[in-house]
Amino acid sequence: MRLPAAQHLLGMLGDRSLKLDHAAFDALPPSPAVEHLREMLTHHHILPDRGDIHLARFLPWLDIKLSKFQDRPHIHQPLEQFGRWHHLRRLRADPAPKNMDYATRTAKQEITEAGKFLAWLDEEQHTKVDDLKQEQIDLYWSEGPSTRKHVRAFLQQRKLTGRNRPLTARARTAESSPMVTAQERLDAIRLVIESKNVIPGTRLAAVIFLLYGTPIGRIVALPADSIRSTLDGMTISLGSQPAPVPELLIPLVNEHLNNGARSRSMNKDSPWLFPSTKSGQHISANTLWNRLKIFSIQPLATRNATLFDLTKELDAATLGALLGYSTQIMAAHAARSGNIMGHYPVLKLE
């Protein structure tokens, strides 16, 4: 907290021009320094707990996003319905989403793209969403960046609520599933293990992705106690059943647990396997993925190759229990590999 912005905030606390409550922090211009100080004060019980931090951040973000269309009610109203009645209701549901970080990021992206679509209708088609025609959806779908695919959730939600029911929101489909070769995946695992100049946490996260095909959003939210050592070896809990950790990787796991981020500063004894620099939180998916770029991993192609290889060795139901995927997803990958039923895999590097 030595940067000028942080020193200014501490000075405001010192002279009491900044009250010790969340409303006062919400009124400040958003910045990393503001959130870092707020989270430190919350972690040490000086400020009250706001519950899930991702949901707490989503609420002011949504208010700011909607305020940009305050002067255009024909955009503001449908966007608010989508943001509050659809996404916010889901985020507040009981039980809550398993990965709130991923859920809020998805909500933000879909709301942002819905806003762009409504603005496009208004500015280029001179049309309100209640007068939307199928050809306009098709036109928007056929041009522009691939992020436009996220408008589909908004259009589907309007169909479900009885608006624009005859219209179809067709998703763009890939002609094929990208996949690296088994040798490329094995070379990537070796590169990660041998990259001694990279911190253990980054290498361990990369290995979990390469060995088990676990999505980045789930890797960051793994609790520290998902790693267990028993007389039979080390395991990692990714699904309902613990998965074996190859013996070759045990030193890397131990190095991360004993000398990694969990052993330093505010995150000493953190409950997360991959803690953030922010008090009490795990690392964000975006931060982790940016770190993994050093290994030039192709995310979708590598994940497909991992699950393709594993379904050759193990049946879909058991593999789903080990990796935390649904049986349906595993069955789809197994069908692609041409081997629906297999035997128990021995994870090893040959």
Side-chain angles (χ1 to χ4, degrees):
M1 296 291 290
R2 297 179 181 177
L3 297 176
Q7 292 177 342
H8 177 66
L9 288 171
L10 291 174
M12 292 174 66
L13 284 177
D15 62 22
R16 300 188 179 181
S17 59
L18 176 61
K19 294 183 178 179
L20 275 172
D21 59 48
H22 287 295
F25 277 80
D26 288 338
L28 294 172
S31 73
V34 168
E35 288 306 308
H36 184 69
L37 178 58
R38 188 208 298 253
E39 287 153 14
M40 283 185 61
L41 295 172
T42 302
H43 179 69
H44 292 288
H45 308 291
I46 299 172
L47 286 176
D49 188 1
R50 293 187 293 167
D52 186 273
I53 187 64
H54 303 292
L55 179 57
R57 290 173 177 170
F58 177 79
L59 295 172
W61 177 90
L62 180 58
D63 289 338
I64 293 172
K65 179 65 67 173
L66 293 174
S67 68
K68 296 178 180 179
F69 300 103
Q70 195 70 48
D71 59 341
R72 289 194 277 180
H74 53 288
I75 294 180
H76 184 275
Q77 183 178 2
L79 192 62
E80 183 174 38
Q81 290 171 343
F82 184 53
R84 297 196 193 280
W85 299 354
H86 177 68
H87 277 298
L88 186 55
R89 180 175 58 84
R90 289 187 172 190
L91 294 174
R92 286 174 165 169
D94 185 15
K98 292 183 179 180
N99 188 334
M100 189 63 79
D101 180 24
Y102 176 79
T104 52
R105 285 190 292 110
T106 299
K108 288 179 180 179
Q109 186 169 41
E110 291 181 353
I111 292 167
T112 298
E113 292 302 322
K116 292 179 181 178
F117 175 64
L118 291 168
W120 176 84
L121 278 179
D122 182 41
E123 296 163 7
E124 298 191 24
Q125 299 293 305
H126 309 293
T127 302
K128 298 177 181 179
V129 70
D130 289 335
D131 301 320
L132 181 64
K133 296 181 174 62
Q134 183 66 53
E135 53 264 31
Q136 291 170 321
I137 296 177
D138 295 339
L139 176 62
Y140 192 76
W141 220 252
S142 64
E143 60 183 18
S146 61
T147 52
R148 289 188 173 185
K149 66 183 180 182
H150 297 291
V151 174
R152 186 167 182 257
F154 170 71
L155 296 174
Q156 286 182 320
Q157 185 265 341
R158 290 188 66 81
K159 288 177 65 177
L160 292 174
T161 56
R163 300 175 178 89
N164 306 120
R165 184 173 294 278
L167 303 182
T168 301
R170 290 185 286 269
R172 294 178 179 179
T173 56
E175 295 182 359
S176 61
S177 297
M179 190 180 304
V180 300
T181 66
Q183 187 59 50
E184 287 173 329
R185 176 172 164 254
L186 185 59
D187 289 343
I189 295 172
R190 285 195 173 122
L191 172 64
V192 171
I193 293 174
E194 295 171 0
S195 297
K196 305 295 184 180
N197 58 320
V198 180
I199 61 174
T202 300
R203 293 161 60 208
L204 176 59
V207 165
I208 292 173
F209 180 74
L210 289 164
L211 275 184
Y212 307 102
T214 306
I216 298 300
R218 284 175 49 204
I219 291 176
V220 297
L222 286 173
D225 61 8
S226 61
I227 301 286
R228 296 288 179 89
S229 294
T230 68
L231 294 177
D232 296 325
M234 183 176 285
T235 63
I236 180 169
S237 295
L238 303 170
S240 60
Q241 298 294 324
V245 174
E247 186 175 350
L248 182 62
L249 299 180
I250 292 178
L252 174 59
V253 176
N254 288 331
E255 183 180 3
H256 172 65
L257 292 176
N258 298 328
N259 303 306
R262 295 182 65 248
S263 64
R264 298 192 298 271
S265 65
M266 292 182 298
N267 280 315
K268 185 174 179 60
D269 301 323
S270 169
W272 304 109
L273 184 58
F274 301 104
S276 167
T277 56
K278 299 175 181 177
S279 301
Q281 297 183 39
H282 59 67
I283 191 174
S284 73
N286 284 341
T287 298
L288 178 58
W289 187 245
N290 285 333
R291 292 181 182 180
L292 297 187
K293 287 180 180 178
I294 192 174
F295 300 118
S296 300
I297 296 173
Q298 302 175 51
L300 182 57
T302 300
R303 174 179 170 273
N304 285 340
T306 299
L307 299 182
F308 179 89
D309 290 343
L310 291 178
T311 51
K312 289 181 178 179
E313 303 182 44
L314 191 63
D315 67 276
T318 305
L319 194 56
L322 287 171
L323 303 184
Y325 283 103
S326 69
T327 302
Q328 291 80 2
I329 290 177
M330 293 286 68
H333 284 277
R336 191 177 299 154
S337 71
N339 190 355
I340 306 300
M341 301 292 288
H343 59 278
Y344 192 88
V346 178
L347 296 175
K348 60 184 178 179
L349 302 177
E350 296 179 349

